[in-house]
Amino acid sequence: MLKITVIGAGSWGTALAVILSKAGNQVKVLSLTKRNLISLRSGYHPNFEGLLLPKEVEFTQNVEYSLADRDIVIFAVSSKYLRPSIEVVKPFIKENQLLISVIKGLEPLTLLVPSQIIQEAFPHNSVAVLSGPSHAEEVIKEEPFGMQLASEDLRAVELIRKAFNKANVYLPATDDLIGTQLGGALKNIIAIGYGIALEQGLGTNFYSMLVTAGMSDLRNLAVAGGAAPETLMGLGGLGDLITTIGSPYSRNRKFGQLLGSGISVEKALQQVGMVVEGVNAMEGALELAQEKQVSIPVINFINNIIKKRISPTKMKGLVQLLKGTY
């Protein structure tokens, strides 16, 4: 039995905590806000209606208590809250603890992925990444799924697989942390465009073209940022993209659909009610493309809709744009 703490009591952090607990580990969840804490301790999460959380999962706000004597610490907060979260927990993290990021994002200005931010704060710890097609709504019900496991430390790979040993999850390993995370961040932007096209009723032919061209943007930009091309064809890239465009649980697709219906960005974000990481990743993606001089026509087109430079009703104009690009 491993001792694991998940930092973040959102949907994904809670789902991971539940399956890791059911896999035989001792799991604590550190909630950095008071919101929903009473409900969580009573076994209910607002994003999992009708589902009773196992009493073995312990929810706490006590930082020191949550991190004492832990084998693994998992960062499961929104990307924009990673640095503030690190500042809170930093005094209590020990060098022998394995740190895992399950965060999908690309920080603007620094252009760092979450594992780099964590490693920068904890230079003596081993850092790993888990990313891929894994919507919390299905994971928490113990439905089978897969994630890309990225680490340069073979002992970390073994420890993570041990933690998930009894869970119904496939964990192929790679040492490409950059590629795994860039794939997970950039695919959310493509999913927003897919949602817009879906709401506009542009047809399966258009959807296929959009996703294929979007995947080309994703691959070219990620490789320029240091990813191995083959990583983008695995669970951390293509696999994650397939789930994000195809699932009704996808926040990014839902956000795109709301934009496609004519709702403003602000109201769309409010209606989704959870973090839309594709919006957060957009600034970093544009900065990375400019720095590396990479053409990303699909991502730029989606950004122009979000910034209200192009109406969502003009989505079909992407065809004419692509004619002069590829």
Side-chain angles (χ1 to χ4, degrees):
M1 179 178 68
L2 295 173
K3 297 177 181 179
I4 302 170
T5 289
V6 178
I7 300 172
S11 299
W12 187 213
T14 300
L16 275 176
V18 168
I19 64 164
L20 284 166
S21 175
K22 290 184 176 181
N25 304 289
Q26 184 197 82
V27 183
K28 296 176 183 177
V29 178
L30 173 61
S31 177
L32 296 176
T33 67
K34 292 183 178 180
R35 187 179 60 180
N36 301 322
L37 188 60
I38 294 175
S39 175
L40 291 169
R41 285 175 169 170
S42 300
Y44 297 95
H45 193 289
N47 296 337
F48 301 121
E49 188 176 347
L51 186 67
L52 185 65
L53 303 176
K55 63 182 183 300
E56 289 81 8
V57 177
E58 183 178 358
F59 291 88
T60 180
Q61 279 190 290
N62 187 318
V63 180
E64 184 174 7
Y65 168 73
S66 71
L67 295 171
D69 192 29
R70 301 283 95 183
D71 300 302
I72 296 173
V73 177
I74 300 174
F75 287 87
V77 297
S78 169
S79 60
K80 66 179 180 180
Y81 295 122
L82 176 56
R83 286 192 184 272
S85 299
I86 286 174
E87 290 307 308
V88 172
V89 305
K90 192 171 184 178
F92 308 102
I93 295 290
K94 303 296 187 294
E95 291 183 6
N96 65 331
Q97 293 172 326
L98 169 60
L99 308 181
I100 302 175
S101 170
V102 295
I103 301 167
K104 295 175 180 178
L106 176 62
E107 188 175 56
L109 300 180
T110 68
L111 300 181
L112 296 176
V113 290
S115 72
Q116 292 174 313
I117 297 171
I118 295 170
Q119 192 74 79
E120 184 181 80
F122 306 101
H124 302 296
N125 290 75
S126 181
V127 177
V129 168
L130 287 170
S131 185
S134 49
H135 278 125
E137 293 83 355
E138 295 181 5
V139 170
I140 201 168
K141 296 176 184 176
E142 298 183 82
E143 295 177 4
F145 68 107
M147 289 186 291
Q148 189 72 62
L149 194 175
S151 177
E152 296 176 343
D153 183 349
L154 291 178
R155 291 173 297 178
V157 172
E158 292 173 1
L159 192 64
I160 293 168
R161 284 178 168 166
K162 180 180 178 182
F164 284 95
N165 186 45
K166 295 181 181 178
N168 199 4
V169 56
Y170 168 53
L171 296 174
T174 178
D175 61 0
D176 185 9
L177 283 82
I178 301 297
T180 299
Q181 291 170 98
L182 285 178
L186 299 175
K187 59 86 185 179
N188 286 325
I189 300 173
I190 309 306
I192 292 173
Y194 183 89
I196 296 169
L198 194 64
E199 189 65 24
Q200 290 291 312
L202 296 178
T204 55
N205 294 332
F206 183 88
Y207 307 151
S208 179
M209 180 210 68
L210 166 66
V211 172
T212 303
M215 186 65 196
S216 180
D217 276 13
L218 186 159
R219 183 184 61 250
N220 293 341
L221 188 55
V223 170
E230 58 270 20
T231 302
L232 285 311
M233 297 308 293
L235 288 174
L238 180 60
D240 210 354
L241 176 61
I242 291 170
T243 287
T244 308
I245 64 172
S247 173
Y249 299 124
S250 172
R251 306 171 190 180
N252 295 280
R253 191 185 89 169
K254 182 178 180 180
F255 173 75
Q257 288 179 276
L258 290 168
L259 288 186
S261 71
I263 293 176
S264 69
V265 170
E266 296 73 22
K267 288 184 178 179
L269 288 171
Q270 186 177 20
Q271 286 196 30
V272 172
M274 293 182 282
V275 176
V276 180
E277 287 289 9
V279 175
N280 293 339
M282 182 65 82
E283 185 179 348
L286 297 174
E287 290 175 4
L288 181 61
Q290 183 176 16
E291 179 183 293
K292 301 298 182 181
Q293 297 185 319
V294 177
S295 175
I296 48 170
V298 176
I299 291 175
N300 276 324
F301 196 88
I302 296 166
N303 180 59
N304 283 332
I305 292 177
I306 293 174
K307 293 293 175 61
K308 304 177 184 177
R309 298 174 188 141
I310 300 175
S311 167
T313 60
K314 303 296 184 181
M315 188 70 186
K316 60 185 178 182
L318 180 63
V319 173
Q320 296 303 319
L321 176 66
L322 292 176
K323 279 185 178 182
T325 304
Y326 294 102

